[in-house]
Amino acid sequence: MSVSDLLRPIIDTEGDTEATDEHSRLEHATGAAVRGIQAGFVATLIMTAFRLPILRSLPPSANFWSQYVAGGDPDDHPVAGLALHLLYGVSSGVVFGALFSLYDAGRSIEPEQRGLVWGSIYGMVLSAFGAQVMLKELLDIRLEADELALFHAGHLVYGLSLGAWVGSRTEGVEDPEREYEYDSGN
């Protein structure tokens, strides 16, 4: 498999006019952005619900807010910290949605499965970036081993949620609006 095979866009526009190509790309990009916004929002809520009772603390975005914006103690800024955390999550969801819509390798497996795999990887990349750059470099926070494991687990939950949402609502899914049903119904 060559690099060009890995990076080939999902939309095959061979034989279409430039106007059709541009229209299709615009629709495709818009749909990917909307899915990314939705997925980022939902995945951030799920990740936050996972981490709050376990770590019993606000996301590190409250530390960022207190250190770089408002001053004071991070506990003084719970709403701003959560809002910033949600903004990070939604923004990262948009990036994932766009990347997922462009990536064509592995089309032999279902979009939901690709979403779970690539979402997991994406979540762990975000976690590594968060731990190394955001926490250590920007905020001078050093997590203990157990805290770091839970930090990574939270981002894995985010990535799985993000990938499941995008994958289940992307092109190639037979009917993205239908509910999943089991053999004996819901």
Side-chain angles (χ1 to χ4, degrees), residues 10 41 45 51 65 72 84 94 96 104 139 145 149 168-169 183:
I10 289 174
F41 181 78
L45 292 179
R51 78 174 304 286
W65 187 265
L84 190 56
V94 170
F96 180 79
D104 191 24
L139 300 174
S168 68
R169 286 161 177 78
D183 288 336

Side-chain angles (χ1 to χ4, degrees), residues 119-138:
S120 300
I121 293 167
Y122 187 74
M124 296 316 297
V125 167
L126 291 177
S127 189
F129 175 80
Q132 294 299 314
V133 176
M134 298 301 290
L135 295 181
K136 283 185 180 178
E137 300 300 323
L138 285 178

